[in-house]
């Protein structure tokens, strides 16, 4: 910690929450179906909250929900700008929802497609480019890897429903101007590097990392010449460059080593494990360009689902075969 100004905040985020998750997985024993239900319930809840936040300004304040401290929604030049909660969590959950369909565990297809449709709509409303890119990427991967097993009698109505939702969103409520979104994406791709705040941030973090390359400067310390967050000057959007600067080669090696190990263990264990590994990949991609992983408890919550599933698999594998079959 090195007596850094954000040491206490970093201690909570980078140590206490992980310790809590680890102890929780040791004390709590749940099965695969319960983990799947956690994913479904979380996706449904986030979608409902997201819809409420976006639709509430249109239809007027709902008095019985005024006590909930939701951030406001802004519509600027046809683009939604909002503080929808748990964006990183939905980038983790949506790939799981997609790939978990290859498992026999999702027997109630109606509920499955309803939740995945709501999650997809929530992602559209969120207006976050990285989450939308991740969603598009996994949709393409899912389509080409599951082309043979797709049931067109189910998929066609689902995609029709998604199109209706999209039209409702854009044509009736005038939420999104596609041309504005197109220009926003193009601007992101062709912006001069010297003017891009993330590129400047990357250069500054890497330059200062070079001064303390082995163990870094410690958590909770920013760069005095480049501050991205006035309230928390030790926070930056580029999570992995931030960790490189603060923890050095040693810290970033341990970090990626642990997540690679986590990813491998998930991927080796059945359809559900592979689905969760896809969710973990989405979570890590989203955290690369946004400060999700270094922000707080809710954004680290995807890790607990990974740990719970690995804990479940470990207990199954450690049991005698006679006990498992019984």
């Amino acid at each position: 910690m090195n007596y850094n100004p954000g040491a206490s905040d970093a201690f909570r985020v980078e140590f206490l929450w992980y310790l809590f998750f680890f102890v929780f997985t040791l004390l709590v024993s749940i099965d695969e179906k319960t983990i799947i239900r956690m994913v479904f319930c979380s996706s449904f809840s986030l979608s409902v909250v997201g819809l409420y936040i976006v639709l509430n300004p249109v239809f007027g304040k709902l008095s019985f929900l005024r006590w909930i401290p939701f951030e406001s929604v802004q519509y600027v030049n046809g683009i939604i700008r909002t503080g929808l909660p748990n964006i990183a969590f939905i980038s983790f959950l949506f790939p799981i929802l997609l790939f978990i369909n290859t498992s026999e565990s999702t027997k109630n297809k109606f509920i499955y497609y309803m939740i995945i449709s709501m999650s997809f709509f929530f992602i559209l409303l969120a207006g976050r480019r990285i989450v939308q890119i991740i969603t598009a990427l996994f949709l393409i991967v899912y389509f080409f890897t599951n082309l043979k097993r797709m049931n067109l009698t189910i998929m066609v109505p689902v995609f029709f429903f998604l199109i209706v939702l999209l039209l409702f969103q854009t044509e009736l409520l005038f939420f999104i101007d596609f041309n504005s979104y197109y220009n926003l994406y193009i601007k992101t791709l062709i912006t001069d590097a010297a003017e891009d705040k993330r590129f400047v941030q990357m250069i500054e973090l890497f330059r200062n990392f070079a001064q303390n390359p082995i163990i870094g400067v410690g958590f909770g310390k920013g760069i005095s010449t480049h501050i991205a967050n006035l309230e928390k000057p030790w926070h930056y959007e580029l999570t992995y460059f931030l960790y490189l600067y603060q923890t050095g080669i040693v810290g970033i090696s341990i970090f990626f080593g642990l997540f690679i190990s986590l990813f491998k263990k998930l991927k080796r264990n059945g359809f559900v494990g592979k689905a969760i590994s896809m969710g973990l990949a989405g979570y890590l991609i989203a955290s690369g360009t946004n400060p999700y992983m270094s922000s707080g408890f809710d954004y680290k919550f995807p890790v607990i689902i990974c740990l719970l599933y690995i804990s479940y698999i470990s207990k199954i594998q450690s049991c005698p075969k006679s006990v498992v079959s019984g």
Side-chain angles (χ1 to χ4, degrees):
M1 296 298 185
N2 202 27
Y3 300 101
N4 292 332
S8 59
D9 181 68
F11 181 73
R12 171 180 56 83
V13 173
E14 306 294 353
F15 179 75
L16 287 183
W17 291 142
Y18 283 125
L19 178 63
F20 169 77
F21 292 153
F22 177 69
V23 173
F24 184 78
T25 55
L26 293 178
L27 298 177
V28 176
S29 179
I30 60 177
D31 58 14
E32 186 175 84
K33 290 183 179 180
T34 305
I35 294 172
I36 293 173
R37 282 196 293 268
M38 284 179 64
V39 172
F40 276 34
C41 290
S42 299
S43 302
F44 178 77
S45 301
L46 285 175
S47 300
V48 170
V49 171
L51 290 173
Y52 165 75
I53 293 175
V54 175
L55 296 178
N56 197 33
V58 178
F59 294 108
K61 295 292 182 181
L62 303 180
S63 58
F64 62 95
L65 290 176
R66 285 181 181 174
W67 57 274
I68 302 179
F70 290 146
E71 296 185 35
S72 61
V73 179
Q74 296 179 346
Y75 306 98
V76 182
N77 298 324
I79 298 174
I80 294 178
R81 299 189 183 279
T82 178
L84 289 175
N86 302 100
I87 298 299
F89 203 10
I90 204 71
S91 69
F92 171 77
L93 293 171
F94 190 79
I96 299 177
L97 287 173
L98 270 181
F99 289 92
I100 216 169
N101 188 38
T102 58
S103 170
E104 295 180 359
S105 302
T106 55
K107 293 180 180 179
N108 194 326
K109 296 297 183 182
F110 174 78
I111 294 177
Y112 168 78
Y113 285 119
M114 180 191 72
I115 292 176
I116 201 169
S117 299
M118 289 186 65
S119 299
F120 183 78
F121 191 41
F122 176 70
I123 290 167
L124 290 175
L125 293 175
R128 301 299 178 91
R129 283 167 290 176
I130 185 62
V131 179
Q132 292 173 348
I133 291 171
I134 291 170
T135 301
L137 175 64
F138 281 112
L139 280 170
I140 293 170
V141 172
Y142 176 80
F143 180 79
F144 283 104
T145 56
N146 295 277
L147 193 58
K148 292 182 179 179
R149 65 165 61 96
M150 283 186 177
N151 187 340
L152 293 180
T153 59
I154 295 177
M155 295 301 294
V156 171
V158 169
F159 279 107
F160 176 76
F161 176 63
L162 292 176
I163 292 172
V164 170
L165 286 178
L166 187 60
L167 291 174
F168 175 76
Q169 172 192 356
T170 56
E171 298 298 331
L172 297 184
L173 298 179
F174 304 101
F175 280 168
I176 291 179
D177 177 8
F178 278 114
N179 188 52
S180 297
Y181 263 93
Y182 171 77
N183 292 332
L184 182 64
Y185 275 90
I186 294 299
K187 183 181 177 181
T188 302
L189 294 174
I190 65 174
T191 298
D192 184 3
E195 298 178 359
D196 185 80
K197 64 177 183 179
R198 282 181 171 84
F199 182 80
V200 173
Q201 188 180 116
M202 179 185 71
I203 295 299
E204 290 295 325
L205 287 169
F206 193 81
R207 183 183 297 162
N208 284 268
F209 148 75
Q211 299 174 13
N212 298 275
I214 307 301
I215 59 172
V217 298
F219 280 120
K221 185 174 182 179
I223 302 171
S224 58
T225 57
H226 184 78
I227 297 174
N229 187 326
L230 294 176
E231 294 182 0
K232 296 181 178 180
W234 55 89
H235 273 206
Y236 294 90
E237 292 173 308
L238 300 181
T239 302
Y240 305 134
F241 279 94
L242 172 64
Y243 285 164
L244 182 65
Y245 162 65
Q246 292 184 340
T247 68
I249 295 172
V250 174
I252 202 70
S253 299
I254 294 172
F255 174 85
F256 280 113
L258 289 171
F259 272 96
I260 289 171
S261 175
L262 192 62
F263 188 81
K264 287 181 177 179
K265 287 181 180 180
L266 289 167
K267 199 172 181 182
R268 286 199 300 261
N269 290 284
F271 285 120
V272 176
K274 290 178 181 178
I276 295 176
S277 71
M278 293 297 100
L280 181 61
Y283 172 67
L284 292 174
I285 294 171
S287 297
T289 59
N290 292 273
Y292 297 140
M293 194 177 293
S294 59
S295 293
F297 171 79
D298 52 344
Y299 287 130
K300 287 188 181 293
F301 196 76
V303 177
I304 201 170
I305 293 181
C306 298
L307 294 177
L308 283 171
Y309 187 75
I310 288 175
S311 175
Y312 162 74
I313 291 297
S314 299
K315 289 173 183 176
I316 291 294
Q317 292 175 345
S318 64
C319 289
K321 291 184 178 180
S322 59
V323 175
V324 175
S325 61

